[in-house]
Amino acid sequence: DAGVTQSPTHLIKTRGQQVTLRCSPKSGHDTVSWYQQALGQGPQFIFQYYEEEERQRGNFPDRFSGHQFPNYSSELNVNALLLGDSALYLCASSGRTGGYGYTFGSGTRLTVV
Amino acid sequence: QKEVEQNSGPLSVPEGAIASLNCTYSDRGSQSFFWYRQYSGKSPELIMSIYSNGDKEDGRFTAQLNKASQYVSLLIRDSQPSDSATYLCAVWGPNRGGSNYKLTFGKGTLLTVNP
């Protein structure tokens, strides 16, 4: 049973650049949530996608955008990268309600220099 | 007030002891409660879920929920060095406006079990 897969695992970008992170949800899951985890902090909710639409969003600027495809996979895009965007980006998938817990991918470590 | 608060730690216990981790949450509309374990450099792994008041036991782990006090805890009995990790409390509750629900995490508590 394939779990949540994320790519790439590591990424180094320069300030001002744009980045795209990818996620395939666990089989049977149709909802994808993205989180940012800075060092020493808990994961912070960025946004959630369901039925190819952004269903809800956390306190992140519009530089953070996303997309969900018909096969439920998802992308996270970050424009105009800042040094403060350096973090572990986690993708989590769940069933529609999400109340039974999220399954996380292994994450993408983004470093902005 | 933060939505989910954990005792920040770090917490250090000897091998074989009981480790106690605590969490409080602010939204009374929250419905589901989880504990995730995160090893350094890895992603969170779900270890316990609890949905109603009381205790829930799974092996060496016991989760406790008190909705009246808005309090969740995790007890780890017979702690092992392999339990050394950051433990994240997560609460599934309504987002602003209340029409959708999301999982909100605390900052995490770093647990070290000393041999």
Side-chain angles (χ1 to χ4, degrees), chain A residues 35 37 40-42 45 55-57 59 97-102 104-105, chain B residues 32 34 36 38 42-44 51 88 92 95-96 100-103 105-107:
Chain A
Y35 287 81
Q37 187 176 25
Q41 302 296 315
F45 177 72
R55 183 158 69 174
Q56 53 182 322
R57 189 179 183 92
N59 292 324
T97 62
Y100 298 104
Y102 292 3
F104 282 86
Chain B
S32 305
F34 307 93
Y36 283 80
Q38 187 174 28
K42 303 296 184 182
S43 63
Y51 307 104
L88 297 162
W92 192 71
N95 202 359
R96 295 183 302 274
N100 289 302
Y101 282 63
K102 66 179 174 70
L103 197 63
F105 286 84
K107 186 178 179 180

PDB file of all heavy atoms in Angstrom, chain A residues 35 37 40-42 45 55-57 59 97-102 104-105, chain B residues 32 34 36 38 42-44 51 88 92 95-96 100-103 105-107:
ATOM      1  N   TYR A  35       1.777  21.569   4.905  1.00  0.00           N
ATOM      2  CA  TYR A  35       2.263  22.191   6.131  1.00  0.00           C
ATOM      3  C   TYR A  35       3.701  22.652   5.940  1.00  0.00           C
ATOM      4  O   TYR A  35       4.463  22.041   5.199  1.00  0.00           O
ATOM      5  CB  TYR A  35       2.227  21.191   7.298  1.00  0.00           C
ATOM      6  CG  TYR A  35       0.832  20.900   7.819  1.00  0.00           C
ATOM      7  CD1 TYR A  35       0.011  19.982   7.175  1.00  0.00           C
ATOM      8  CD2 TYR A  35       0.344  21.544   8.951  1.00  0.00           C
ATOM      9  CE1 TYR A  35      -1.265  19.718   7.647  1.00  0.00           C
ATOM     10  CE2 TYR A  35      -0.929  21.284   9.433  1.00  0.00           C
ATOM     11  CZ  TYR A  35      -1.725  20.369   8.769  1.00  0.00           C
ATOM     12  OH  TYR A  35      -2.995  20.117   9.243  1.00  0.00           O
ATOM     13  N   GLN A  37       7.092  23.361   8.274  1.00  0.00           N
ATOM     14  CA  GLN A  37       7.650  23.147   9.594  1.00  0.00           C
ATOM     15  C   GLN A  37       9.052  23.751   9.670  1.00  0.00           C
ATOM     16  O   GLN A  37       9.998  23.218   9.096  1.00  0.00           O
ATOM     17  CB  GLN A  37       7.690  21.670   9.962  1.00  0.00           C
ATOM     18  CG  GLN A  37       8.112  21.425  11.404  1.00  0.00           C
ATOM     19  CD  GLN A  37       8.055  19.963  11.817  1.00  0.00           C
ATOM     20  OE1 GLN A  37       8.145  19.072  10.979  1.00  0.00           O
ATOM     21  NE2 GLN A  37       7.885  19.703  13.107  1.00  0.00           N
ATOM     22  N   GLY A  40      12.511  23.335  14.973  1.00  0.00           N
ATOM     23  CA  GLY A  40      12.110  23.509  16.359  1.00  0.00           C
ATOM     24  C   GLY A  40      10.658  23.911  16.566  1.00  0.00           C
ATOM     25  O   GLY A  40      10.244  24.182  17.698  1.00  0.00           O
ATOM     26  N   GLN A  41       9.890  23.938  15.499  1.00  0.00           N
ATOM     27  CA  GLN A  41       8.482  24.326  15.581  1.00  0.00           C
ATOM     28  C   GLN A  41       7.586  23.168  15.153  1.00  0.00           C
ATOM     29  O   GLN A  41       8.029  22.227  14.512  1.00  0.00           O
ATOM     30  CB  GLN A  41       8.214  25.529  14.671  1.00  0.00           C
ATOM     31  CG  GLN A  41       9.050  26.755  14.984  1.00  0.00           C
ATOM     32  CD  GLN A  41       8.751  27.320  16.335  1.00  0.00           C
ATOM     33  OE1 GLN A  41       7.593  27.460  16.737  1.00  0.00           O
ATOM     34  NE2 GLN A  41       9.803  27.637  17.086  1.00  0.00           N
ATOM     35  N   GLY A  42       6.298  23.289  15.500  1.00  0.00           N
ATOM     36  CA  GLY A  42       5.341  22.317  15.003  1.00  0.00           C
ATOM     37  C   GLY A  42       4.938  22.670  13.578  1.00  0.00           C
ATOM     38  O   GLY A  42       5.158  23.797  13.111  1.00  0.00           O
ATOM     39  N   PHE A  45      -0.132  24.976   9.231  1.00  0.00           N
ATOM     40  CA  PHE A  45      -1.055  24.697   8.133  1.00  0.00           C
ATOM     41  C   PHE A  45      -0.956  25.782   7.059  1.00  0.00           C
ATOM     42  O   PHE A  45      -1.102  26.980   7.342  1.00  0.00           O
ATOM     43  CB  PHE A  45      -2.473  24.625   8.692  1.00  0.00           C
ATOM     44  CG  PHE A  45      -3.550  24.412   7.668  1.00  0.00           C
ATOM     45  CD1 PHE A  45      -3.702  23.187   7.051  1.00  0.00           C
ATOM     46  CD2 PHE A  45      -4.422  25.439   7.347  1.00  0.00           C
ATOM     47  CE1 PHE A  45      -4.698  22.981   6.120  1.00  0.00           C
ATOM     48  CE2 PHE A  45      -5.426  25.248   6.423  1.00  0.00           C
ATOM     49  CZ  PHE A  45      -5.567  24.017   5.805  1.00  0.00           C
ATOM     50  N   ARG A  55      -9.781  24.362  -0.323  1.00  0.00           N
ATOM     51  CA  ARG A  55     -10.947  24.356   0.563  1.00  0.00           C
ATOM     52  C   ARG A  55     -10.759  25.292   1.749  1.00  0.00           C
ATOM     53  O   ARG A  55     -11.715  25.895   2.224  1.00  0.00           O
ATOM     54  CB  ARG A  55     -11.214  22.932   1.048  1.00  0.00           C
ATOM     55  CG  ARG A  55     -12.450  22.805   1.919  1.00  0.00           C
ATOM     56  CD  ARG A  55     -12.985  21.393   1.955  1.00  0.00           C
ATOM     57  NE  ARG A  55     -12.124  20.458   2.657  1.00  0.00           N
ATOM     58  CZ  ARG A  55     -12.460  19.202   2.902  1.00  0.00           C
ATOM     59  NH1 ARG A  55     -13.625  18.734   2.513  1.00  0.00           N
ATOM     60  NH2 ARG A  55     -11.619  18.394   3.514  1.00  0.00           N
ATOM     61  N   GLN A  56      -9.535  25.401   2.241  1.00  0.00           N
ATOM     62  CA  GLN A  56      -9.261  26.318   3.345  1.00  0.00           C
ATOM     63  C   GLN A  56      -7.783  26.649   3.357  1.00  0.00           C
ATOM     64  O   GLN A  56      -6.971  25.922   2.787  1.00  0.00           O
ATOM     65  CB  GLN A  56      -9.701  25.718   4.678  1.00  0.00           C
ATOM     66  CG  GLN A  56      -9.153  24.340   4.964  1.00  0.00           C
ATOM     67  CD  GLN A  56      -9.670  23.792   6.272  1.00  0.00           C
ATOM     68  OE1 GLN A  56      -9.823  24.517   7.248  1.00  0.00           O
ATOM     69  NE2 GLN A  56      -9.926  22.500   6.307  1.00  0.00           N
ATOM     70  N   ARG A  57      -7.457  27.741   4.049  1.00  0.00           N
ATOM     71  CA  ARG A  57      -6.116  28.277   3.989  1.00  0.00           C
ATOM     72  C   ARG A  57      -5.700  28.787   5.359  1.00  0.00           C
ATOM     73  O   ARG A  57      -6.518  29.314   6.107  1.00  0.00           O
ATOM     74  CB  ARG A  57      -6.072  29.422   2.973  1.00  0.00           C
ATOM     75  CG  ARG A  57      -4.707  29.944   2.656  1.00  0.00           C
ATOM     76  CD  ARG A  57      -4.779  31.063   1.614  1.00  0.00           C
ATOM     77  NE  ARG A  57      -3.442  31.505   1.255  1.00  0.00           N
ATOM     78  CZ  ARG A  57      -2.738  31.017   0.247  1.00  0.00           C
ATOM     79  NH1 ARG A  57      -3.280  30.092  -0.534  1.00  0.00           N
ATOM     80  NH2 ARG A  57      -1.530  31.463  -0.013  1.00  0.00           N
ATOM     81  N   ASN A  59      -2.555  31.070   7.609  1.00  0.00           N
ATOM     82  CA  ASN A  59      -2.043  32.438   7.541  1.00  0.00           C
ATOM     83  C   ASN A  59      -0.754  32.520   6.724  1.00  0.00           C
ATOM     84  O   ASN A  59       0.317  32.830   7.251  1.00  0.00           O
ATOM     85  CB  ASN A  59      -1.814  32.973   8.951  1.00  0.00           C
ATOM     86  CG  ASN A  59      -3.115  33.160   9.700  1.00  0.00           C
ATOM     87  OD1 ASN A  59      -4.133  33.528   9.132  1.00  0.00           O
ATOM     88  ND2 ASN A  59      -3.086  32.857  10.997  1.00  0.00           N
ATOM     89  N   THR A  97     -13.267  13.704   5.394  1.00  0.00           N
ATOM     90  CA  THR A  97     -13.532  14.380   6.665  1.00  0.00           C
ATOM     91  C   THR A  97     -12.251  14.701   7.418  1.00  0.00           C
ATOM     92  O   THR A  97     -12.198  15.678   8.147  1.00  0.00           O
ATOM     93  CB  THR A  97     -14.429  13.529   7.571  1.00  0.00           C
ATOM     94  OG1 THR A  97     -13.744  12.311   7.880  1.00  0.00           O
ATOM     95  CG2 THR A  97     -15.747  13.196   6.876  1.00  0.00           C
ATOM     96  N   GLY A  98     -11.258  13.882   7.280  1.00  0.00           N
ATOM     97  CA  GLY A  98      -9.990  14.149   7.945  1.00  0.00           C
ATOM     98  C   GLY A  98      -9.985  13.876   9.439  1.00  0.00           C
ATOM     99  O   GLY A  98      -8.948  14.010  10.094  1.00  0.00           O
ATOM    100  N   GLY A  99     -11.115  13.518  10.002  1.00  0.00           N
ATOM    101  CA  GLY A  99     -11.198  13.372  11.443  1.00  0.00           C
ATOM    102  C   GLY A  99     -10.527  12.132  12.005  1.00  0.00           C
ATOM    103  O   GLY A  99     -10.462  11.969  13.223  1.00  0.00           O
ATOM    104  N   TYR A 100     -10.051  11.270  11.141  1.00  0.00           N
ATOM    105  CA  TYR A 100      -9.372  10.058  11.600  1.00  0.00           C
ATOM    106  C   TYR A 100      -7.874  10.158  11.470  1.00  0.00           C
ATOM    107  O   TYR A 100      -7.163   9.167  11.573  1.00  0.00           O
ATOM    108  CB  TYR A 100      -9.915   8.844  10.845  1.00  0.00           C
ATOM    109  CG  TYR A 100     -11.396   8.638  11.105  1.00  0.00           C
ATOM    110  CD1 TYR A 100     -12.351   8.975  10.150  1.00  0.00           C
ATOM    111  CD2 TYR A 100     -11.827   8.139  12.323  1.00  0.00           C
ATOM    112  CE1 TYR A 100     -13.699   8.808  10.408  1.00  0.00           C
ATOM    113  CE2 TYR A 100     -13.184   7.975  12.586  1.00  0.00           C
ATOM    114  CZ  TYR A 100     -14.111   8.317  11.622  1.00  0.00           C
ATOM    115  OH  TYR A 100     -15.451   8.158  11.883  1.00  0.00           O
ATOM    116  N   GLY A 101      -7.381  11.365  11.255  1.00  0.00           N
ATOM    117  CA  GLY A 101      -5.945  11.568  11.217  1.00  0.00           C
ATOM    118  C   GLY A 101      -5.413  11.723   9.813  1.00  0.00           C
ATOM    119  O   GLY A 101      -6.038  11.280   8.844  1.00  0.00           O
ATOM    120  N   TYR A 102      -4.300  12.369   9.711  1.00  0.00           N
ATOM    121  CA  TYR A 102      -3.640  12.596   8.434  1.00  0.00           C
ATOM    122  C   TYR A 102      -2.426  11.675   8.340  1.00  0.00           C
ATOM    123  O   TYR A 102      -1.753  11.404   9.342  1.00  0.00           O
ATOM    124  CB  TYR A 102      -3.149  14.040   8.327  1.00  0.00           C
ATOM    125  CG  TYR A 102      -4.212  15.109   8.247  1.00  0.00           C
ATOM    126  CD1 TYR A 102      -5.563  14.842   8.332  1.00  0.00           C
ATOM    127  CD2 TYR A 102      -3.830  16.440   8.079  1.00  0.00           C
ATOM    128  CE1 TYR A 102      -6.507  15.846   8.258  1.00  0.00           C
ATOM    129  CE2 TYR A 102      -4.762  17.474   7.996  1.00  0.00           C
ATOM    130  CZ  TYR A 102      -6.102  17.159   8.089  1.00  0.00           C
ATOM    131  OH  TYR A 102      -7.030  18.171   8.018  1.00  0.00           O
ATOM    132  N   PHE A 104       1.296  11.523   6.708  1.00  0.00           N
ATOM    133  CA  PHE A 104       2.284  12.454   6.171  1.00  0.00           C
ATOM    134  C   PHE A 104       3.259  11.780   5.230  1.00  0.00           C
ATOM    135  O   PHE A 104       3.618  10.605   5.411  1.00  0.00           O
ATOM    136  CB  PHE A 104       3.071  13.102   7.314  1.00  0.00           C
ATOM    137  CG  PHE A 104       2.331  14.193   8.006  1.00  0.00           C
ATOM    138  CD1 PHE A 104       1.455  13.910   9.037  1.00  0.00           C
ATOM    139  CD2 PHE A 104       2.485  15.509   7.611  1.00  0.00           C
ATOM    140  CE1 PHE A 104       0.753  14.912   9.674  1.00  0.00           C
ATOM    141  CE2 PHE A 104       1.786  16.529   8.240  1.00  0.00           C
ATOM    142  CZ  PHE A 104       0.915  16.225   9.276  1.00  0.00           C
ATOM    143  N   GLY A 105       3.704  12.544   4.232  1.00  0.00           N
ATOM    144  CA  GLY A 105       4.825  12.126   3.415  1.00  0.00           C
ATOM    145  C   GLY A 105       6.127  12.414   4.142  1.00  0.00           C
ATOM    146  O   GLY A 105       6.129  12.960   5.255  1.00  0.00           O
TER     147      GLY A 105
ATOM    148  N   SER B  32     -11.406  15.672  17.281  1.00  0.00           N
ATOM    149  CA  SER B  32     -10.508  14.523  17.250  1.00  0.00           C
ATOM    150  C   SER B  32      -9.130  14.984  17.701  1.00  0.00           C
ATOM    151  O   SER B  32      -8.727  16.115  17.418  1.00  0.00           O
ATOM    152  CB  SER B  32     -10.408  13.931  15.841  1.00  0.00           C
ATOM    153  OG  SER B  32     -11.682  13.611  15.333  1.00  0.00           O
ATOM    154  N   PHE B  34      -4.923  13.794  18.441  1.00  0.00           N
ATOM    155  CA  PHE B  34      -3.905  12.863  17.985  1.00  0.00           C
ATOM    156  C   PHE B  34      -2.565  13.172  18.630  1.00  0.00           C
ATOM    157  O   PHE B  34      -2.270  14.317  18.988  1.00  0.00           O
ATOM    158  CB  PHE B  34      -3.751  12.969  16.459  1.00  0.00           C
ATOM    159  CG  PHE B  34      -5.042  12.811  15.703  1.00  0.00           C
ATOM    160  CD1 PHE B  34      -5.801  13.927  15.364  1.00  0.00           C
ATOM    161  CD2 PHE B  34      -5.506  11.564  15.334  1.00  0.00           C
ATOM    162  CE1 PHE B  34      -6.999  13.798  14.677  1.00  0.00           C
ATOM    163  CE2 PHE B  34      -6.704  11.416  14.654  1.00  0.00           C
ATOM    164  CZ  PHE B  34      -7.449  12.535  14.326  1.00  0.00           C
ATOM    165  N   TYR B  36       1.411  12.537  17.481  1.00  0.00           N
ATOM    166  CA  TYR B  36       2.342  12.134  16.447  1.00  0.00           C
ATOM    167  C   TYR B  36       3.743  12.091  17.057  1.00  0.00           C
ATOM    168  O   TYR B  36       4.092  12.914  17.905  1.00  0.00           O
ATOM    169  CB  TYR B  36       2.344  13.134  15.288  1.00  0.00           C
ATOM    170  CG  TYR B  36       1.160  13.021  14.347  1.00  0.00           C
ATOM    171  CD1 TYR B  36      -0.071  13.575  14.674  1.00  0.00           C
ATOM    172  CD2 TYR B  36       1.280  12.370  13.118  1.00  0.00           C
ATOM    173  CE1 TYR B  36      -1.148  13.474  13.800  1.00  0.00           C
ATOM    174  CE2 TYR B  36       0.213  12.265  12.243  1.00  0.00           C
ATOM    175  CZ  TYR B  36      -1.002  12.821  12.591  1.00  0.00           C
ATOM    176  OH  TYR B  36      -2.061  12.728  11.727  1.00  0.00           O
ATOM    177  N   GLN B  38       7.787  12.318  16.019  1.00  0.00           N
ATOM    178  CA  GLN B  38       8.641  12.781  14.938  1.00  0.00           C
ATOM    179  C   GLN B  38      10.108  12.632  15.345  1.00  0.00           C
ATOM    180  O   GLN B  38      10.584  13.326  16.240  1.00  0.00           O
ATOM    181  CB  GLN B  38       8.340  14.249  14.581  1.00  0.00           C
ATOM    182  CG  GLN B  38       9.092  14.739  13.355  1.00  0.00           C
ATOM    183  CD  GLN B  38       8.677  16.137  12.934  1.00  0.00           C
ATOM    184  OE1 GLN B  38       8.249  16.949  13.753  1.00  0.00           O
ATOM    185  NE2 GLN B  38       8.786  16.437  11.634  1.00  0.00           N
ATOM    186  N   LYS B  42      12.873  13.590  10.296  1.00  0.00           N
ATOM    187  CA  LYS B  42      11.838  12.758   9.661  1.00  0.00           C
ATOM    188  C   LYS B  42      10.485  13.450   9.735  1.00  0.00           C
ATOM    189  O   LYS B  42      10.330  14.494  10.334  1.00  0.00           O
ATOM    190  CB  LYS B  42      11.765  11.391  10.345  1.00  0.00           C
ATOM    191  CG  LYS B  42      13.078  10.629  10.342  1.00  0.00           C
ATOM    192  CD  LYS B  42      13.514  10.283   8.934  1.00  0.00           C
ATOM    193  CE  LYS B  42      14.763   9.434   8.938  1.00  0.00           C
ATOM    194  NZ  LYS B  42      15.229   9.114   7.562  1.00  0.00           N
ATOM    195  N   SER B  43       9.483  12.830   9.110  1.00  0.00           N
ATOM    196  CA  SER B  43       8.137  13.395   9.126  1.00  0.00           C
ATOM    197  C   SER B  43       7.340  12.818  10.290  1.00  0.00           C
ATOM    198  O   SER B  43       7.700  11.777  10.850  1.00  0.00           O
ATOM    199  CB  SER B  43       7.434  13.106   7.800  1.00  0.00           C
ATOM    200  OG  SER B  43       7.269  11.713   7.622  1.00  0.00           O
ATOM    201  N   PRO B  44       6.252  13.479  10.689  1.00  0.00           N
ATOM    202  CA  PRO B  44       5.436  12.985  11.812  1.00  0.00           C
ATOM    203  C   PRO B  44       4.771  11.647  11.491  1.00  0.00           C
ATOM    204  O   PRO B  44       4.315  11.425  10.371  1.00  0.00           O
ATOM    205  CB  PRO B  44       4.389  14.092  11.988  1.00  0.00           C
ATOM    206  CG  PRO B  44       4.986  15.304  11.355  1.00  0.00           C
ATOM    207  CD  PRO B  44       5.791  14.791  10.214  1.00  0.00           C
ATOM    208  N   TYR B  51     -10.961  10.131  20.649  1.00  0.00           N
ATOM    209  CA  TYR B  51     -12.105  10.917  20.179  1.00  0.00           C
ATOM    210  C   TYR B  51     -13.112  11.229  21.284  1.00  0.00           C
ATOM    211  O   TYR B  51     -13.953  12.125  21.126  1.00  0.00           O
ATOM    212  CB  TYR B  51     -12.827  10.158  19.058  1.00  0.00           C
ATOM    213  CG  TYR B  51     -11.908   9.739  17.937  1.00  0.00           C
ATOM    214  CD1 TYR B  51     -11.489   8.417  17.824  1.00  0.00           C
ATOM    215  CD2 TYR B  51     -11.448  10.655  17.017  1.00  0.00           C
ATOM    216  CE1 TYR B  51     -10.637   8.019  16.804  1.00  0.00           C
ATOM    217  CE2 TYR B  51     -10.597  10.269  15.993  1.00  0.00           C
ATOM    218  CZ  TYR B  51     -10.199   8.953  15.896  1.00  0.00           C
ATOM    219  OH  TYR B  51      -9.355   8.579  14.881  1.00  0.00           O
ATOM    220  N   LEU B  88       4.285  15.415  19.019  1.00  0.00           N
ATOM    221  CA  LEU B  88       3.418  16.506  18.585  1.00  0.00           C
ATOM    222  C   LEU B  88       1.966  16.180  18.926  1.00  0.00           C
ATOM    223  O   LEU B  88       1.464  15.119  18.562  1.00  0.00           O
ATOM    224  CB  LEU B  88       3.537  16.706  17.072  1.00  0.00           C
ATOM    225  CG  LEU B  88       4.900  17.124  16.534  1.00  0.00           C
ATOM    226  CD1 LEU B  88       4.978  16.860  15.038  1.00  0.00           C
ATOM    227  CD2 LEU B  88       5.160  18.591  16.818  1.00  0.00           C
ATOM    228  N   TRP B  92      -7.997  18.164  15.699  1.00  0.00           N
ATOM    229  CA  TRP B  92      -8.813  18.363  14.490  1.00  0.00           C
ATOM    230  C   TRP B  92     -10.043  19.140  14.888  1.00  0.00           C
ATOM    231  O   TRP B  92     -10.898  18.645  15.656  1.00  0.00           O
ATOM    232  CB  TRP B  92      -9.179  17.014  13.887  1.00  0.00           C
ATOM    233  CG  TRP B  92      -9.758  17.105  12.518  1.00  0.00           C
ATOM    234  CD1 TRP B  92      -9.097  17.430  11.371  1.00  0.00           C
ATOM    235  CD2 TRP B  92     -11.105  16.834  12.127  1.00  0.00           C
ATOM    236  NE1 TRP B  92      -9.958  17.386  10.289  1.00  0.00           N
ATOM    237  CE2 TRP B  92     -11.187  17.028  10.730  1.00  0.00           C
ATOM    238  CE3 TRP B  92     -12.245  16.461  12.836  1.00  0.00           C
ATOM    239  CZ2 TRP B  92     -12.362  16.857  10.021  1.00  0.00           C
ATOM    240  CZ3 TRP B  92     -13.426  16.271  12.122  1.00  0.00           C
ATOM    241  CH2 TRP B  92     -13.476  16.482  10.736  1.00  0.00           C
ATOM    242  N   ASN B  95     -11.872  25.424  11.379  1.00  0.00           N
ATOM    243  CA  ASN B  95     -11.076  26.549  10.955  1.00  0.00           C
ATOM    244  C   ASN B  95     -11.877  27.831  11.212  1.00  0.00           C
ATOM    245  O   ASN B  95     -13.032  27.773  11.629  1.00  0.00           O
ATOM    246  CB  ASN B  95     -10.740  26.409   9.466  1.00  0.00           C
ATOM    247  CG  ASN B  95      -9.510  27.201   9.059  1.00  0.00           C
ATOM    248  OD1 ASN B  95      -8.906  27.882   9.888  1.00  0.00           O
ATOM    249  ND2 ASN B  95      -9.151  27.130   7.794  1.00  0.00           N
ATOM    250  N   ARG B  96     -11.249  28.955  11.021  1.00  0.00           N
ATOM    251  CA  ARG B  96     -11.958  30.239  11.185  1.00  0.00           C
ATOM    252  C   ARG B  96     -13.230  30.205  10.342  1.00  0.00           C
ATOM    253  O   ARG B  96     -13.203  29.823   9.194  1.00  0.00           O
ATOM    254  CB  ARG B  96     -11.073  31.396  10.750  1.00  0.00           C
ATOM    255  CG  ARG B  96      -9.836  31.591  11.586  1.00  0.00           C
ATOM    256  CD  ARG B  96      -9.081  32.812  11.094  1.00  0.00           C
ATOM    257  NE  ARG B  96      -8.708  32.694   9.700  1.00  0.00           N
ATOM    258  CZ  ARG B  96      -7.607  32.106   9.283  1.00  0.00           C
ATOM    259  NH1 ARG B  96      -6.795  31.546  10.145  1.00  0.00           N
ATOM    260  NH2 ARG B  96      -7.317  32.056   8.004  1.00  0.00           N
ATOM    261  N   ASN B 100     -15.123  24.514   7.775  1.00  0.00           N
ATOM    262  CA  ASN B 100     -14.204  23.439   7.442  1.00  0.00           C
ATOM    263  C   ASN B 100     -13.337  23.113   8.657  1.00  0.00           C
ATOM    264  O   ASN B 100     -13.135  23.960   9.533  1.00  0.00           O
ATOM    265  CB  ASN B 100     -13.302  23.830   6.271  1.00  0.00           C
ATOM    266  CG  ASN B 100     -14.060  23.886   4.970  1.00  0.00           C
ATOM    267  OD1 ASN B 100     -14.652  22.898   4.547  1.00  0.00           O
ATOM    268  ND2 ASN B 100     -14.065  25.042   4.343  1.00  0.00           N
ATOM    269  N   TYR B 101     -12.826  21.906   8.662  1.00  0.00           N
ATOM    270  CA  TYR B 101     -11.998  21.466   9.774  1.00  0.00           C
ATOM    271  C   TYR B 101     -10.579  21.216   9.304  1.00  0.00           C
ATOM    272  O   TYR B 101     -10.349  20.810   8.159  1.00  0.00           O
ATOM    273  CB  TYR B 101     -12.573  20.179  10.377  1.00  0.00           C
ATOM    274  CG  TYR B 101     -13.771  20.425  11.276  1.00  0.00           C
ATOM    275  CD1 TYR B 101     -14.939  20.965  10.783  1.00  0.00           C
ATOM    276  CD2 TYR B 101     -13.700  20.104  12.623  1.00  0.00           C
ATOM    277  CE1 TYR B 101     -16.020  21.200  11.615  1.00  0.00           C
ATOM    278  CE2 TYR B 101     -14.773  20.320  13.470  1.00  0.00           C
ATOM    279  CZ  TYR B 101     -15.941  20.868  12.951  1.00  0.00           C
ATOM    280  OH  TYR B 101     -17.002  21.091  13.779  1.00  0.00           O
ATOM    281  N   LYS B 102      -9.630  21.445  10.195  1.00  0.00           N
ATOM    282  CA  LYS B 102      -8.233  21.203   9.855  1.00  0.00           C
ATOM    283  C   LYS B 102      -7.505  20.661  11.067  1.00  0.00           C
ATOM    284  O   LYS B 102      -7.994  20.739  12.199  1.00  0.00           O
ATOM    285  CB  LYS B 102      -7.570  22.491   9.376  1.00  0.00           C
ATOM    286  CG  LYS B 102      -7.424  23.596  10.435  1.00  0.00           C
ATOM    287  CD  LYS B 102      -6.722  24.798   9.842  1.00  0.00           C
ATOM    288  CE  LYS B 102      -6.692  25.974  10.822  1.00  0.00           C
ATOM    289  NZ  LYS B 102      -5.816  25.749  11.966  1.00  0.00           N
ATOM    290  N   LEU B 103      -6.325  20.109  10.827  1.00  0.00           N
ATOM    291  CA  LEU B 103      -5.489  19.573  11.890  1.00  0.00           C
ATOM    292  C   LEU B 103      -4.487  20.641  12.296  1.00  0.00           C
ATOM    293  O   LEU B 103      -3.717  21.123  11.462  1.00  0.00           O
ATOM    294  CB  LEU B 103      -4.781  18.316  11.372  1.00  0.00           C
ATOM    295  CG  LEU B 103      -4.171  17.386  12.402  1.00  0.00           C
ATOM    296  CD1 LEU B 103      -5.250  16.812  13.316  1.00  0.00           C
ATOM    297  CD2 LEU B 103      -3.409  16.253  11.710  1.00  0.00           C
ATOM    298  N   PHE B 105      -1.384  21.702  14.981  1.00  0.00           N
ATOM    299  CA  PHE B 105      -0.352  21.079  15.799  1.00  0.00           C
ATOM    300  C   PHE B 105       0.153  22.021  16.878  1.00  0.00           C
ATOM    301  O   PHE B 105       0.195  23.247  16.704  1.00  0.00           O
ATOM    302  CB  PHE B 105       0.839  20.689  14.919  1.00  0.00           C
ATOM    303  CG  PHE B 105       0.584  19.495  14.067  1.00  0.00           C
ATOM    304  CD1 PHE B 105      -0.063  19.614  12.847  1.00  0.00           C
ATOM    305  CD2 PHE B 105       0.994  18.231  14.473  1.00  0.00           C
ATOM    306  CE1 PHE B 105      -0.307  18.501  12.054  1.00  0.00           C
ATOM    307  CE2 PHE B 105       0.765  17.118  13.683  1.00  0.00           C
ATOM    308  CZ  PHE B 105       0.117  17.263  12.486  1.00  0.00           C
ATOM    309  N   GLY B 106       0.578  21.420  17.975  1.00  0.00           N
ATOM    310  CA  GLY B 106       1.359  22.145  18.954  1.00  0.00           C
ATOM    311  C   GLY B 106       2.811  22.221  18.514  1.00  0.00           C
ATOM    312  O   GLY B 106       3.194  21.670  17.474  1.00  0.00           O
ATOM    313  N   LYS B 107       3.623  22.870  19.333  1.00  0.00           N
ATOM    314  CA  LYS B 107       5.027  23.066  18.995  1.00  0.00           C
ATOM    315  C   LYS B 107       5.831  21.791  19.159  1.00  0.00           C
ATOM    316  O   LYS B 107       6.886  21.633  18.544  1.00  0.00           O
ATOM    317  CB  LYS B 107       5.601  24.181  19.875  1.00  0.00           C
ATOM    318  CG  LYS B 107       7.004  24.598  19.542  1.00  0.00           C
ATOM    319  CD  LYS B 107       7.460  25.751  20.434  1.00  0.00           C
ATOM    320  CE  LYS B 107       8.880  26.151  20.118  1.00  0.00           C
ATOM    321  NZ  LYS B 107       9.334  27.285  20.984  1.00  0.00           N
TER     322      LYS B 107
END
